[in-house]
Amino acid sequence: MDRYRLKNVIILILLLVNGYLLGSMAYRSTAARAAHDRSVEQLVELFAAESIDLDPSIIPNEKPPAGRVLSRDTSLERSAAVYLLGGNLRHSERGGVYSYSGAGGAALFRENGGFEAAGTLSSSDGGAFCQAFCKNFRYVVSDVRLDDTDSGTLTALREYAGLPVANCAVTFTLEQNAVLAARGTLLPETSAEAAGNPDLLSAQAALTAFLAMRRETGAVASSITEMSLCYELQSSTAAPMALTPAWHIVTDTVSYYVNCATGAVSQY
């Protein structure tokens, strides 16, 4: 009987503790939402004072992802070269620059991900050739500028872990539906989380940084139409390829990118 009662007491204590924890979590969540709503309301008023329309519903309430340091993948580069130039390639390396040549033309790949290829990469059905490259190497077509003769350019943007990389694109040059050149950045998948773990800017902080930039530069904008997370590709001696989270702010005139680590505002 004593053991039975003790068991019931223990169960009751556990239920009370769980109830307290759940209540505490709910309170913190409610307080966080209230704080977010207050800061958004203040931002909307601040932007209105600057004659900029800011819809509170477009301000995300999510945390930026950690930065990533990428490792060069020469096998991926060779795969891209084979796709662009065909098989039976000749290969050489000098100072970190890998060169490939074959029946389709020639290509260069650099340590920072930059590459260029020229020749007759595809003699016909250039649009399908470009689309297949994008599918194989994780790009999404962002801009097509072709005339009635299928001559012009097709540009695609790289995505990484479900987010676009703002300044990582490849541009194909077409002439009468033949692909004659490709130039851009080839991004590997292999990466590690960036060291340092800095405090990353929230959406509200990024909007504040944008507003400060507008005051300093006189940039023209009357409304913010969209806001979302993305990555910026950065290069340094220590890390030739690194991804830093950024906020993409779309205005009624142009787009801006606010670096989540530094607060710097850029355009691409």
Side-chain angles (χ1 to χ4, degrees):
M1 192 67 170
D2 290 339
R3 288 184 179 178
Y4 178 77
R5 289 178 178 176
L6 179 60
K7 181 180 178 181
N8 287 341
V9 169
I10 292 173
I11 292 173
L12 179 60
I13 291 172
L14 290 175
L15 288 173
L16 290 173
V17 170
N18 287 337
Y20 172 78
L21 292 175
L22 287 173
S24 178
M25 290 175 61
Y27 173 79
R28 287 197 297 269
S29 177
T30 301
R33 284 197 299 269
H36 171 77
D37 292 343
R38 284 195 300 271
S39 64
V40 166
E41 184 179 348
Q42 292 169 355
L43 266 177
V44 170
E45 293 175 356
L46 189 61
F47 271 70
E50 300 284 339
S51 300
I52 302 177
D53 182 36
L54 175 61
D55 184 349
S57 67
I58 70 169
I59 303 176
N61 186 18
E62 57 184 313
K63 293 182 179 180
R68 310 293 301 180
V69 176
L70 306 173
S71 299
R72 185 175 189 177
D73 186 347
T74 54
S75 64
L76 178 70
E77 295 172 1
R78 182 172 182 83
S79 296
V82 169
Y83 181 87
L84 295 169
L85 307 176
N88 299 318
L89 298 178
R90 295 179 296 276
H91 162 254
S92 65
E93 184 273 332
R94 184 176 180 180
V97 178
Y98 284 70
S99 304
Y100 296 90
S101 60
L108 297 175
F109 293 85
R110 299 177 177 81
E111 189 177 13
N112 64 357
F115 81 95
E116 53 195 66
T120 304
L121 309 184
S122 175
S123 60
S124 62
D125 205 3
F129 177 86
C130 297
Q131 291 280 2
F133 179 93
C134 293
K135 181 179 180 180
N136 291 338
F137 298 97
R138 305 192 181 187
Y139 289 78
V140 176
V141 175
S142 58
D143 186 42
V144 178
R145 301 186 182 187
L146 300 176
D147 60 21
D148 294 338
T149 67
D150 287 326
S151 300
T153 60
L154 183 150
T155 300
L157 198 64
R158 178 68 157 86
E159 287 193 343
Y160 191 90
L163 294 179
V165 184
N167 55 339
C168 182
V170 57
T171 298
F172 299 91
T173 301
L174 291 82
E175 186 173 323
Q176 295 183 350
N177 208 24
V179 182
L180 303 184
R183 183 186 185 94
T185 304
L186 185 69
L187 212 61
E189 285 294 319
T190 308
S191 70
E193 187 170 321
N197 194 26
D199 291 331
L200 300 175
L201 269 64
S202 64
Q204 297 97 310
L207 286 167
T208 302
F210 163 80
L211 196 58
M213 177 279 300
R214 180 179 181 272
R215 288 169 177 167
E216 292 176 2
T217 65
V220 177
S222 61
S223 66
I224 307 294
T225 60
E226 185 181 342
M227 188 175 187
S228 59
L229 281 167
C230 64
Y231 282 111
E232 286 183 320
L233 177 63
Q234 298 182 330
S235 181
S236 66
T237 303
M241 286 182 284
L243 295 178
T244 301
W247 288 103
H248 181 202
I249 298 176
V250 183
T251 74
D252 58 321
T253 55
V254 296
S255 291
Y256 296 89
Y257 298 86
V258 182
N259 188 296
C260 290
T262 66
V265 183
S266 306
Q267 286 180 266
Y268 298 111

